[in-house]
Amino acid sequence: MDLQSLIASSVYLNRQIESKKQLHWSNDGRVKNAFVALDVELAEMANTSEWFKVWKTHRGKHDPNKTPRETLLYEYVDAMDFYLLISNLKNWNHVILNSQDDLDKIKQFKKEDNLDKQYLALKRMLFDAYFDHSGDVAREIYDLPLYQHLQALVDHFLTIKKINCYF
């Protein structure tokens, strides 16, 4: 996964949307919106996969003309897009890019069976990254652990190759 090109794609898409919608935001407004959007996309990933809906026999929502896996893939790519956009808006690109070599390590990790724990850890990291204004905690949070938790949510369903195709 080429993180540099994914960041560039995310920034380009955001600029296109802002231009088309004639949005004129402050940087703070952009950052707030991106954090809210990432939070919502994470919730949509959870809702699409329905891992937490233990009461259901058949799990996995899907959009019309898409399988549940394809729908989850789209939600994951949306979440990754906002994750990368935030790194750019907060000037944390170097943190993301420095983790490029660590991506292969993620593949070697044992798949997380407790997706509730991963999801809640991700949400906490996300909020900590937003509310910590010193940047120290945010950089630590935004390094590999946040990506690792995000990846753990989809490990059961998706592959890196498929993600690259849809991004």
Side-chain angles (χ1 to χ4, degrees):
M1 194 178 286
D2 180 4
L3 294 175
Q4 178 67 50
S5 66
L6 294 180
I7 290 171
S9 295
S10 178
V11 170
Y12 178 73
L13 175 62
N14 188 59
R15 287 181 181 158
Q16 281 185 313
I17 292 168
E18 286 183 357
S19 176
K20 184 177 180 178
K21 301 279 185 181
Q22 297 180 2
L23 300 174
H24 305 286
W25 291 352
S26 66
N27 191 51
D28 185 55
R30 271 188 199 97
V31 169
K32 283 179 186 173
N33 182 266
F35 270 99
V36 169
L38 176 55
D39 181 48
V40 170
E41 291 301 336
L42 293 173
E44 288 179 4
M45 283 175 57
N47 197 44
T48 296
S49 63
E50 298 183 315
W51 81 76
F52 63 94
K53 294 184 178 182
V54 296
W55 57 90
K56 289 185 80 173
T57 305
H58 303 289
R59 294 186 225 163
K61 293 182 178 184
H62 60 91
D63 293 335
N65 301 319
K66 291 189 183 113
T67 67
R69 290 174 78 89
E70 289 172 325
T71 302
L72 179 61
L73 181 56
Y74 277 101
E75 297 300 346
Y76 175 81
V77 168
D78 286 347
M80 276 299 294
D81 180 58
F82 288 111
Y83 169 79
L84 296 170
L85 179 63
I86 291 168
S87 77
N88 183 266
L89 293 172
K90 298 290 281 180
N91 296 314
W92 297 334
N93 287 355
H94 65 285
V95 177
I96 300 294
L97 296 175
N98 288 340
S99 69
Q100 179 76 55
D101 294 335
D102 294 329
L103 291 178
D104 287 335
K105 292 178 188 175
I106 293 173
K107 295 177 196 171
Q108 298 168 9
F109 293 156
K110 179 182 176 275
K111 287 187 180 180
E112 178 60 56
D113 292 328
N114 188 344
L115 293 180
D116 291 340
K117 178 182 171 185
Q118 290 296 318
Y119 181 78
L120 294 172
L122 231 174
K123 297 284 254 190
R124 178 171 181 152
M125 284 187 231
L126 176 65
F127 293 133
D128 286 349
Y130 177 76
F131 287 107
D132 176 72
H133 297 290
S134 71
D136 294 337
V137 172
R139 276 189 287 281
E140 287 176 27
I141 290 167
Y142 228 76
D143 199 356
L144 187 60
L146 184 64
Y147 179 80
Q148 179 183 340
H149 287 288
L150 184 58
Q151 188 60 38
L153 288 178
V154 297
D155 270 347
H156 294 276
F157 311 105
L158 306 173
T159 65
I160 296 289
K161 187 176 180 179
K162 283 244 185 225
I163 293 164
N164 278 332
C165 290
Y166 280 80
F167 206 95

